[in-house]
């Protein structure tokens, strides 16, 4: 009975998160109430409060179910390995673009996180999550670019922190633009060429 209760609770939690994905995508995060999500999931607000403190907590739990594209790149860069890290970083970023194109849930959650969030007071925790993840990714990009320049015996054309910010903005911006019009361009092909040109421009040929 205890095991069954835990399974039922987990099923309810996942049903609420699935419903949140759908309603956030349709109505925006600020424009969605917990009652909207409960109705979509076929349950009550009480069930939501059993699993989540508030809407921001529910949103973050929804995000935690999916490894976002740039998180994958971050984890790859963090892997302990010697030599020039740039080939590993480029491979990880291309994989991030491919994941965005091929995985519907990743695409759906990324779109909610980038196009459907309004940073009103009740969603301060969501804003902080975005800021912290950006800082982590940019910091790891900075280390990878510095180590690559050292391994190649070259000097970056701009400060490593600036190059890392630009690389993050390039990849994140490409994904966001593609989500606005998936038929507008080939994300993998355009993204790969743009990254190669950018890295060449900062001195990593």
């Amino acid at each position: 009975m205890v095991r069954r209760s835990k399974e039922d609770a987990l099923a309810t939690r996942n049903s609420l998160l699935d419903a949140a994905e759908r309603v956030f995508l349709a109505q925006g995060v600020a424009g969605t109430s917990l009652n909207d999500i409960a109705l979509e999931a076929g349950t009550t607000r009480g069930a939501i409060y059993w699993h989540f403190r508030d809407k921001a907590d529910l949103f973050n739990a929804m995000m935690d179910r999916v490894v976002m594209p740039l998180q994958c790149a971050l984890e790859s860069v963090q892997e302990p390995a010697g030599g020039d890290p740039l080939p590993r970083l480029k491979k990880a970023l291309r994989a991030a673009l491919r994941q965005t194109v091929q995985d519907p849930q990743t695409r759906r959650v990324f779109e909610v996180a980038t196009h459907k969030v309004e940073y009103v007071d009740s969603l301060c925790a969501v804003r902080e999550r975005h800021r912290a993840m950006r800082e982590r990714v940019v910091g790891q990009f900075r280390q990878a670019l510095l180590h690559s320049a050292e391994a190649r015996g070259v000097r970056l054309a701009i400060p490593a922190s600036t190059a890392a910010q630009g690389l993050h903005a390039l990849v994140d911006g490409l994904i966001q633009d593609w989500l606005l019009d998936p038929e507008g361009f080939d994300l993998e092909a355009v993204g790969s060429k743009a990254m190669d040109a950018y890295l060449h421009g900062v001195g990593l040929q």
Side-chain angles (χ1 to χ4, degrees):
M1 290 293 294
V2 173
R3 180 178 179 181
R4 183 60 188 169
S5 296
K6 289 183 178 179
E7 291 175 350
D8 289 344
L10 181 60
T12 299
R13 187 177 190 275
N14 285 330
S15 175
L16 289 168
L17 293 173
D18 290 342
E21 281 185 21
R22 295 191 296 271
V23 183
F24 285 156
L25 187 63
Q27 299 178 190
V29 178
T32 295
S33 69
L34 292 179
N35 192 56
D36 292 334
I37 295 170
L39 288 173
E40 178 70 16
T43 185
T44 65
R45 286 185 59 181
I48 294 180
Y49 283 118
W50 178 261
H51 293 279
F52 309 103
R53 292 188 304 275
D54 50 29
K55 186 163 65 173
D57 187 39
L58 189 154
F59 176 92
N60 284 330
M62 180 196 74
M63 295 291 296
D64 287 339
R65 292 200 305 174
V66 177
V67 179
M68 300 303 287
L70 290 182
Q71 283 179 268
C72 292
L74 174 63
E75 291 167 5
S76 297
V77 174
Q78 287 177 321
E79 292 177 0
D84 184 354
L86 191 62
R88 192 166 71 250
L89 175 60
K90 290 168 67 174
K91 180 179 179 181
L93 289 174
R94 291 189 180 105
L97 300 179
R98 189 176 310 115
Q99 178 189 350
T100 303
V101 173
Q102 296 181 355
D103 183 13
Q105 187 179 33
T106 295
R107 187 164 62 248
R108 187 165 58 246
V109 172
F110 195 98
E111 184 169 359
V112 168
T114 55
H115 292 160
K116 302 292 184 174
V117 176
E118 305 88 344
Y119 291 128
V120 294
D121 289 344
S122 61
L123 296 176
C124 286
V126 172
R127 182 187 184 96
E128 176 58 26
R129 178 195 181 97
H130 286 178
R131 187 198 62 77
M133 178 52 65
R134 186 202 66 217
E135 287 190 359
R136 285 184 60 210
V137 173
V138 170
Q140 290 297 324
F141 284 1
R142 176 181 178 276
Q143 290 300 314
L145 296 175
L146 280 173
H147 292 162
S148 180
E150 181 180 356
R152 293 165 182 247
V154 300
R155 184 173 181 175
L156 294 174
I158 55 178
S161 58
T162 303
Q165 289 279 3
L167 181 59
H168 177 271
L170 172 65
V171 178
D172 191 64
L174 281 167
I175 293 174
Q176 291 194 42
D177 283 351
W178 182 83
L179 287 171
L180 289 172
D181 181 16
E183 302 302 320
F185 63 96
D186 185 323
L187 179 60
E188 290 185 67
V190 171
S192 294
K193 291 177 181 178
M195 284 188 293
D196 286 344
Y198 179 83
L199 291 168
H200 185 279
V202 299
L204 297 174
Q205 301 182 13

